[in-house]
Amino acid sequence: MVKSTNFSQQPNQKISRGESADPPFEETYKKLFDDIRMGKASKIKYQNLFDVEECELPLIDLELLNGREMEREECMRKIAKASQEWGFFQVVNHGISQDVLAKMRKEQIKLFKKPFHEKMNDQNLNFSPGSYRWGTPSATCLQQLSWSEAFHVPLTDISSHSGGFSTLSSTMEEFATTVSELAHKLARILSERMGYKSKYFRETCLPHTCYLRMNRYPACPIIPQVFGLMPHTDSDFLTILHQDDIGGLQLVRDGKWISVKPNPQALIINIGDLFQAWSNGVYKSVEHRVVTNKAKERFSTAFFLCPSYDTEIQSCFEPSLYKRFTFREFRQQVQEDVKKFGYKVGLPRFLLSTH
C-alpha cells in the first residue's frame, strides 16, 4: 500500500482558483525544476526510466479454479509460484465484469477532471480529510517527487457517501465489493498452499479496514525523467490493480527494473509487506514504481487488503525471520522513516537480529 505521506496538500500551498484540473506541480516544485535545468541538481540516478525491458507478468486463468481437481491444483500452484518468484502476477476470468471496470474508470476520470481547487475543498464527496493527495510534500530532490494525484479512500467512506456523487459512490461500492472477494479468495489459496487453513484473513481484513485508491498520473512534458510514483513496496497483504492501457508500471526482477506490459483484460495482483512477513519470506513483496508518460495521462484503481491497526503480524512458521509487530507499529515506522529519510525502509526494520 502506498504510504500516506506520499500524497497530500503541500504545506502552506496557495490553492489556485483557476479551472485547471492538474495540481500545481510546476509552480510548487519550480526551484527543483530550475536547478535541474541549470545543471545544479542531478537527474534521477536510476537507469533511464524509459530504457527498461518490457515483460508480461505470469498470466493465470482463474476459471480453472472451477474445473477438475487437477486443473484447480495447477491453478493454485501457479498462483503460489508467481507470488514466490515474482511477487506479481495477473489474472483473467477473475469474476469482476468488464462493465463494472468500465463504469469505475468512467467515474474516476470524471472525478479527476474536476478543477483542482474543487478536488482540494469539495465537501460533497464525504471522504475523510486528507483523502485527496498529490505530489510529495517532503520532496527535496527529483528522486522524491511523485507526479500524480490520488483519492485514497477507506471503504467506510464509500458506504457513507451521499449527495451529488451517488453514481460515483455506488460504482466504487460495487467495485470494492467484488474485488474484495477476489482478494480474500487469493489470500485463502496462498495460505492453504503453505498448509495453513485459517479464517485469519476473513477475521482481520474487514471492510472497514481496507482501502480503495484512485490514481491519476498526468502527462509530464516538463522533465523527461520523473516518477509518477516513487519506488516502494506495498504495506498491506494483497493489492489488486486495474490499470489502463498506457503503461508505466515497473518492478524489480532479478535485481533489474522491468516494465509491465499492460493487459486490458487482466487485473494485476501483488504481494504486500504483511504477507511477506506472515509467510516468513516465502511470498515476496517486490519494489515497484510508476513512470510518467510525456504525452498521455494514466489512470489506475487499486484495492488494498489491510487488517485492523491492532492486528498482530507474526510469521506462521518458526524460526521466524521477523519480529512480531502490529499493523499500527509498522505504519508508524514507515511514516517516521519517510519523514526522516524521504523514503520507506519497510520490512528490514523488523528483521530479527539473529538473521
Side-chain angles (χ1 to χ4, degrees):
M1 180 170 57
V2 179
K3 44 196 175 289
S4 59
T5 47
N6 261 6
F7 299 88
S8 74
Q9 181 178 352
Q10 307 300 313
N12 302 318
Q13 175 66 41
K14 293 182 179 179
I15 299 173
S16 169
R17 293 298 171 183
E19 291 301 309
S20 174
D22 288 345
F25 291 109
E26 193 169 8
E27 173 188 339
T28 304
Y29 301 107
K30 183 178 185 301
K31 184 180 185 304
L32 214 168
F33 293 143
D34 287 346
D35 287 347
I36 293 169
R37 293 188 184 104
M38 296 172 65
K40 295 180 180 180
S42 62
K43 294 183 180 181
I44 290 178
K45 296 179 182 179
Y46 296 101
Q47 68 188 91
N48 189 307
L49 297 186
F50 303 102
D51 185 23
V52 176
E53 180 183 354
E54 188 177 59
C55 75
E56 291 193 14
L57 295 176
L59 180 63
I60 300 172
D61 185 353
L62 296 186
E63 181 62 32
L64 296 176
L65 293 174
N66 301 319
R68 294 172 297 180
E69 183 177 349
M70 289 183 60
E71 292 176 325
R72 294 197 303 272
E73 177 65 22
E74 177 65 9
C75 184
M76 292 187 289
R77 185 192 70 79
K78 288 181 177 179
I79 291 170
K81 185 172 186 286
S83 299
Q84 293 174 43
E85 297 181 358
W86 286 76
F88 273 79
F89 57 96
Q90 53 187 342
V91 295
V92 292
N93 293 320
H94 38 65
I96 294 88
S97 73
Q98 289 300 314
D99 180 58
V100 170
L101 296 177
K103 284 195 300 183
M104 185 68 240
R105 182 56 38 79
K106 179 181 178 181
E107 291 300 320
Q108 177 181 357
I109 292 174
K110 188 191 303 181
L111 177 61
F112 279 114
K113 291 303 181 184
K114 291 168 63 69
F116 172 68
H117 74 268
E118 289 187 25
K119 288 181 285 192
M120 289 293 299
N121 298 303
D122 200 328
Q123 302 299 315
N124 294 328
L125 291 175
N126 286 344
F127 294 154
S128 298
S131 293
Y132 176 68
R133 306 165 183 184
W134 67 278
T136 314
S138 58
T140 58
C141 60
L142 196 60
Q143 290 95 321
Q144 297 174 358
L145 174 59
S146 291
W147 189 277
S148 52
E149 59 178 337
F151 283 92
H152 189 81
V153 185
L155 296 196
T156 48
D157 282 7
I158 299 174
S159 60
S160 64
H161 207 280
S162 62
F165 287 84
S166 58
T167 305
L168 172 64
S169 174
S170 60
T171 303
M172 291 174 68
E173 190 165 17
E174 185 177 12
F175 177 89
T177 300
T178 53
V179 174
S180 176
E181 281 304 306
L182 174 59
H184 278 287
K185 178 191 292 187
L186 294 171
R188 188 191 73 246
I189 289 171
L190 289 170
S191 63
E192 289 180 355
R193 295 301 294 183
M194 298 185 67
Y196 195 88
K197 294 188 176 183
S198 169
K199 296 180 180 179
Y200 176 79
F201 296 101
R202 285 287 183 189
E203 293 172 346
T204 59
C205 300
L206 304 172
H208 69 274
T209 68
C210 298
Y211 294 83
L212 196 65
R213 186 183 187 93
M214 297 174 285
N215 301 301
R216 174 178 176 259
Y217 302 91
C220 181
I222 302 171
I223 301 295
Q225 293 190 57
V226 66
F227 292 130
L229 193 60
M230 289 169 55
H232 67 285
T233 56
D234 287 355
S235 301
D236 59 350
F237 279 113
L238 282 177
T239 303
I240 298 181
L241 179 75
H242 177 228
Q243 62 171 349
D244 61 20
D245 60 355
I246 300 301
L249 175 63
Q250 299 180 351
L251 58 92
V252 174
R253 169 77 169 157
D254 296 329
K256 298 188 303 182
W257 285 100
I258 60 174
S259 180
V260 175
K261 184 177 181 180
N263 181 343
Q265 302 302 314
L267 294 176
I268 292 177
I269 317 296
N270 69 275
I271 302 297
D273 296 335
L274 300 188
F275 223 137
Q276 178 169 322
W278 182 88
S279 68
N280 210 30
V282 173
Y283 302 131
K284 300 299 189 293
S285 180
V286 173
E287 190 175 28
H288 53 285
R289 67 192 184 191
V290 175
V291 297
T292 57
N293 188 288
K294 297 178 182 179
K296 298 179 180 179
E297 61 185 351
R298 175 180 181 268
F299 293 93
S300 68
T301 308
F303 172 86
F304 301 105
L305 186 67
C306 301
S308 66
Y309 283 166
D310 294 326
T311 298
E312 186 175 74
I313 310 300
Q314 67 177 98
S315 300
C316 58
F317 293 125
E318 297 292 342
S320 175
L321 295 173
Y322 301 98
K323 308 171 187 176
R324 295 185 181 185
F325 59 87
T326 65
F327 187 36
R328 186 188 308 278
E329 291 169 338
F330 188 80
R331 283 180 56 86
Q332 288 175 343
Q333 184 64 61
V334 167
Q335 291 167 354
E336 289 174 12
D337 287 338
V338 170
K339 185 176 181 180
K340 184 175 181 179
F341 303 113
Y343 60 87
K344 170 185 172 180
V345 177
L347 278 179
R349 286 287 194 195
F350 296 87
L351 283 168
L352 287 168
S353 58
T354 54
H355 294 279

